[in-house]
Amino acid sequence: MPRPASYSRLQILLHWLVVILIVVAFLLSDQMDDWEDLPADAALPFHGILGLTVFFLMLARLALRLFRGAPPPPEADPAWQKRVAEASHWALYALAIATPWSGGFAFYLRWEEAADVHELLKTLLLLTAAAHTAAALYHQFILKDGLLGRMGLERR
Ligand code: HEM
Ligand code: HEM
């Protein structure tokens, strides 16, 4: 896989757009409380529209990741941390792609089990993203290696 020196502007834009959409999808998840009372052909509530958008943007990100690549992990990181970081990035791709599918299966196919899977996946997504955020902040403020600059948050 290619290892460019930095993330592209498009990769950075998509990273933060997806973060915002996921946060708002979480905040608006009450919209789905009574989803079983809605007819299957009802207009998809905004929660679902946000989630479907996340799905398509993550596909674009995955393609960029595979064909354009990502910069190598910070030089100074021990090998195990590089492996954990790499694995958690792939886990975030997998979870942010699978969570919308499970929601869609629940909503469109009236599939109870898919709703349970959706609840599980959104929890895993939340936990993984929280650990990922903590790691990014640890790099930035404890190790002071300027990691956030790689995702466009440079101090000027
Ligand atoms: C990354 C995208 C998504 C995230 C982070 C997300 C997150 C959530 C959260 C936090 C809940 C509340 C669960 C609870 O009450 O414990 C929920 C419920 C729900 N979401 Fe999503 N969702 C996403 C995408 C979608 C999509 C694309 C659809 C439909 C097309 C959808 C349909 C539903 C449904 C039907 C429920 C109710 C499930 C139930 O409580 O039985 N979601 N979602
Ligand atoms: C829903 C929340 C989030 C998701 C789904 C997410 C997802 C991802 C993914 C998949 C990557 C890997 C990109 C790649 O190499 O292909 C990444 C990298 C990164 N993310 Fe996030 N992220 C989230 C929140 C955050 C937050 C809140 C911060 C900052 C506090 C952050 C900072 C970073 C940084 C600095 C990188 C680059 C890491 C590196 O180059 O080694 N992310 N993110």
Side-chain angles (χ1 to χ4, degrees):
M1 231 176 273
R3 284 289 188 194
S6 57
Y7 287 108
S8 70
R9 290 164 76 114
L10 183 59
Q11 281 173 308
I12 293 171
L13 177 78
L14 289 173
H15 176 271
W16 294 112
L17 195 57
V18 165
V19 173
I20 293 168
L21 293 174
I22 290 180
V23 168
V24 181
F26 264 97
L27 295 177
L28 294 184
S29 63
D30 305 1
Q31 287 187 341
M32 302 313 260
D33 283 353
D34 302 320
W35 68 283
E36 280 156 306
D37 301 336
L38 292 173
D41 59 353
L44 185 63
F46 196 51
H47 170 84
I49 295 177
L50 290 167
L52 286 184
T53 311
V54 167
F55 168 69
F56 288 113
L57 294 180
M58 286 306 291
L59 287 189
R61 286 185 68 183
L62 189 60
L64 282 167
R65 180 70 173 83
L66 294 173
F67 296 110
R68 183 191 179 273
E75 210 45 60
D77 275 8
W80 72 268
Q81 276 180 26
K82 291 180 183 163
R83 278 198 299 273
V84 172
E86 187 86 350
S88 60
H89 290 166
W90 290 117
L92 286 167
Y93 280 103
L95 289 167
I97 287 172
T99 305
W101 272 93
S102 56
F105 279 140
F107 189 79
Y108 288 113
L109 305 180
R110 306 282 118 174
W111 194 359
E112 261 321 313
E113 285 76 19
D116 296 341
V117 172
H118 192 58
E119 296 220 358
L120 174 67
L121 290 177
K122 65 93 174 127
T123 307
L124 294 177
L125 175 60
L126 184 69
L127 292 175
T128 313
H132 168 74
T133 303
L137 297 178
Y138 170 75
H139 270 272
Q140 183 73 17
F141 297 109
I142 311 284
L143 300 180
K144 300 192 198 301
D145 61 2
L147 183 87
L148 290 187
R150 291 160 63 108
M151 252 330 152
L153 297 184
E154 258 143 313
R155 244 190 287 172
R156 290 178 198 277

